[in-house]
Amino acid sequence: MGGVWPEGQKRVEGVAGGRRLGGAGEMEPKLGFHELLHVFSFLEARDLLCAAQVDKVWNEVSGTKELWRQLCLRRWSSCKTSQMTLGTQTWKEYYLCRSELEFRMECGRPEKDFICKAIAGHTGEIDELAYISTKECRFDGQEKSMVCTVSSDSTVRAWDVQEGTEIWSSPLQPAALVNVVTFPRLQLAITVDERGLIKVWGAENGWEQASFRLPTFSSALQACEHPEGPFLLVACAEGFLYALTVPQLQLRSRTRVFPSSPTSLLCSPDCQWVFASTQNSDLGPKVFHTRSLLCLVEGEPPVSTTLPIWLTSRACWAPDETARLMVTHRNDNGMQLVITTYELRTKQSREGVDVVVQQMASFLLPSSMIPPHLMKGHGSQVILLVSGSELALFTIHGVQLAAFQDHQRPITSMWVDQSRVITASFDLSLRVYVWNKETKPPVLKSCYHLLGGSHRWASPTGCSAVLVHPAYSHGGRERRQKIR
């Protein structure tokens, strides 16, 4: 039966068995597998699930691995093929399970969907902790959440976070351990004590594998998963930067950075750059091209540059950019705090390789704002700052996006990832925020408040660190997200 269609509105013809019914009832040629695959590549997950209900052919095409892989890459840029461990799950299962997790995170019930477990075993204060487990989300029941902790009791220990139980403990070490970093893919933990003794530990059994002694205590450790192989960066109190192989801890290079000054280190997301600074100093911070630290030519300095700023206090990298650095520092007269954003790249010259620095943006922080003690980046444009008990969000151009004052006492640590932000406070509580990615720039929404334990066992510093890792049990309805 014919009819009149409004201008600009298409007539929807019947679909049966992958063929279209024409106006006279004839069957038009159906689209082939590859043609349907191309059309479906423009659909979102909900549309693909609907298309799967049409017939057998559409069901097969809509479940194609590459379609769901691309959906995962678009939604979660961290899902790099080289870094993914799917186990027994498919890309479709991964997408649906992780989407469900994010929904549960946003709409979670603190008393039912989260579990708090106390880890007891150290006789001294825990100074640092790091995940041994790989960072991928897995939903096939095969992944465990394991952390390493170091303490003033001179031991390093590994824990099963899901069970709240100790896996292994090292023998008593010669001095208190002050820092730990991990290489999850190699299943290694690396510690340093207050005298500068570095050790490598097997994460599965706690066996000591190698050691290296610094001349003085270490001020910073950085685990770097470089394309040319993993290595460890160590800054010591006398102002030198060491590059060591992993797991052997053999010396690759030793570079003077700041004379007799403790140095902080910060690697870029792809580990191609390392930012080195000494806090509140007249010495400008430096940026090194990490490959030059690994392949140092005798008599030649590593490829680096000094940023034209001073009195640096905090810095972070933009996680969605390869070499975008945001730095908090004082302005020229030293009176106001400024955040400046730089883009870095290398350029070949006659003399060798040069570092090219381009300033992307710069803005003054409000004069009423307490100097921030925590700083993180999100995406390519957003900066998160913690000042006292306040969490503030700015774009790199200085537009304030939001400010939260949900904690009663100062915030001590902050976790930021693609899906959420979690802050921990002196009052032993966690505040969970979730990103709304549909807006540009993304908006952060405060979701709920988690109590972290009894003040009877609390450290005077409250929650000193917060790490997040997906930990799942078998079965869809019994999954719990555990935050430690």
Side-chain angles (χ1 to χ4, degrees), residues 132 148 156 180-183 187-191 199-203:
I132 304 171
C148 254
V156 53
V180 59
V181 296
T182 57
F183 289 85
Q187 286 293 282
L188 296 174
I190 301 182
T191 62
K199 288 189 176 183
V200 178
W201 307 88

Side-chain angles (χ1 to χ4, degrees), residues 189-239:
I190 301 182
T191 62
V192 63
D193 67 19
E194 60 185 5
R195 299 175 187 170
L197 178 60
I198 302 170
K199 288 189 176 183
V200 178
W201 307 88
E204 294 181 350
N205 49 33
W207 291 351
E208 182 182 328
Q209 297 188 8
S211 64
F212 182 91
R213 184 175 293 278
L214 298 170
T216 58
F217 72 87
S218 165
S219 59
L221 285 182
Q222 280 278 295
C224 300
E225 293 279 5
H226 195 270
E228 296 185 11
F231 68 97
L232 181 72
L233 285 177
V234 188
C236 71
E238 61 180 9

